[in-house]
Amino acid sequence: MTIPQDVRIRGDRLYFPKLGWLRLRRRGGNPYPDAEPVQATLKRVNGKWMAVVCYAIAAADRPDDGTVTGVDMNVGQVAVSDGRHARILHAPDPRRLEAKIRRQQRRLARQRRGSRRRERTRQRLARTQRRLAMRRRNWHHHVSRGLARGTVAVEALQTRAMTASAKGTVDAPGQNVRQKAGLNRVILATGWSGLRAMFEYKAPRLIVVDPRHTSQTCAACGQTHAASRRSPASFECVACGHADHADLNAARNIRRRGLAQLHGKGRSHSATPTTREMDRRPAA
């Protein structure tokens, strides 16, 4: 339920039409005590009621330290390079929570529909799934916060096309269907789109580059050859012999392409929000 205008807040209470005054509990208090509330949304998540209040504030320009960072998004990790340092940031291990979700799903399938025991299992399953999603979102915030001090260059990945099913048709069945399905699950669990969305509103500038051959191009000599990618984690150039971690090599190539666009040799995508987005920053 949403109040589109005329939001009334008095201290720690929020007025909702036909519901009356609701008490708010905010961690850390009101972040915008002098701002005007312009919109409020009341929603229920796993049995808990939450309010999202939007305030009209004067958003300051995001500082830019002048760095350009290339980000290579991979399965369960991202590789970053800022020209001086390169490192790999691993996502939290989701296997324990995923195993718990599978157990709860099997228990839910065995229980009788409409029973109270099945409803309790369904609620536990929803809480576990939300816990996994919030852990991934928290990792996204930490990664984007640490890298969004300057320009960020990412690949224009088409996640929907990359995670399409490989089972094919009856006349032309696919190959390695189970392996591809497992890869698709890990890609979606890493949350490439969510991380890129955070870069868009946190970084002073976001540059989207062509992803073709970033993992097969040598960051030292610039030669492109498929044989240089020895394994998912190993890169050794067949032309100059340069050896590096494959993801770190790709991050350096992404940064180089970002620099080319930044200096006018390509198109860049600015992450500056619109006026409406700047005026309405949510605060719960």
Side-chain angles (χ1 to χ4, degrees):
M1 298 175 285
T2 301
I3 305 177
Q5 58 188 2
D6 299 330
V7 180
R8 296 161 60 185
I9 294 181
R10 294 179 183 174
D12 60 349
R13 295 189 303 163
L14 169 67
Y15 182 80
F16 248 86
K18 299 186 179 180
L19 294 179
W21 289 96
L22 306 177
R23 186 167 60 91
L24 296 177
R25 289 186 298 177
R26 314 189 196 205
R27 292 183 179 179
N30 185 1
Y32 310 116
D34 300 328
E36 177 188 358
V38 294
Q39 189 182 74
T41 301
L42 189 67
K43 61 181 181 179
R44 190 178 184 183
V45 181
N46 292 342
K48 295 183 179 180
W49 288 97
M50 299 184 181
V52 180
V53 182
C54 297
Y55 291 87
I57 64 172
D61 294 334
R62 285 164 288 183
D64 189 350
D65 62 1
T67 60
V68 179
T69 304
V71 180
D72 175 57
M73 300 185 186
N74 212 310
V75 177
Q77 64 186 29
V78 294
V80 298
S81 173
D82 59 3
R84 295 179 299 173
H85 306 286
R87 62 190 188 278
I88 295 178
L89 306 175
H90 296 275
D93 191 353
R95 288 178 294 183
R96 186 178 65 84
L97 286 178
E98 288 176 347
K100 187 176 182 180
I101 289 174
R102 289 193 295 269
R103 290 196 302 269
Q104 292 172 341
Q105 287 174 337
R106 291 194 296 266
R107 184 180 302 149
L108 188 71
R110 292 193 300 265
Q111 292 172 337
R112 182 169 57 87
R113 292 182 178 273
S115 64
R116 283 184 287 182
R117 190 171 291 181
R118 190 177 194 273
E119 177 62 21
R120 286 196 298 267
T121 303
R122 187 193 64 79
Q123 293 177 359
R124 294 192 188 101
L125 174 60
R127 286 195 296 267
T128 307
Q129 290 173 332
R130 177 169 173 80
R131 184 179 177 186
L132 180 62
M134 295 306 293
R135 179 176 293 186
R136 178 173 58 246
R137 183 176 177 84
N138 181 66
W139 179 69
H140 288 168
H141 274 298
H142 279 283
V143 171
S144 58
R145 177 66 175 175
L147 300 178
R149 298 186 178 94
T151 302
V152 177
V154 298
E155 296 175 289
L157 298 176
Q158 302 296 329
T159 308
R160 177 172 295 183
M162 296 176 64
T163 56
S165 175
K167 64 181 180 180
T169 62
V170 177
D171 298 331
Q175 298 179 352
N176 300 325
V177 178
R178 291 180 62 88
Q179 293 86 337
K180 185 62 170 62
L183 178 62
N184 292 347
R185 283 194 296 269
V186 178
I187 290 176
L188 294 174
T190 307
W192 293 346
S193 300
L195 182 58
R196 174 175 165 176
M198 291 187 182
F199 282 135
E200 287 182 349
Y201 76 85
K202 289 184 180 183
R205 185 183 293 104
L206 179 67
I207 298 177
V208 182
V209 304
D210 188 354
R212 289 178 294 181
H213 306 302
T214 55
S215 62
Q216 299 176 359
T217 302
C218 178
C221 67
Q223 294 294 324
T224 302
H225 201 287
S228 298
R229 184 72 181 264
R230 302 299 178 90
S231 68
S234 176
F235 181 91
E236 185 175 350
C237 181
V238 297
C240 68
H242 170 71
D244 197 357
H245 192 285
D247 296 337
L248 297 179
N249 179 80
R252 293 186 175 95
N253 289 327
I254 295 170
R255 180 180 182 272
R256 182 177 291 111
R257 295 185 183 184
L259 285 171
Q261 291 191 13
L262 188 62
H263 295 312
K265 298 180 181 179
R267 293 183 177 180
S268 63
H269 169 70
S270 175
T272 304
T274 62
T275 304
R276 185 175 181 181
E277 291 172 338
M278 293 176 65
D279 292 340
R280 295 193 175 187
R281 298 291 177 89

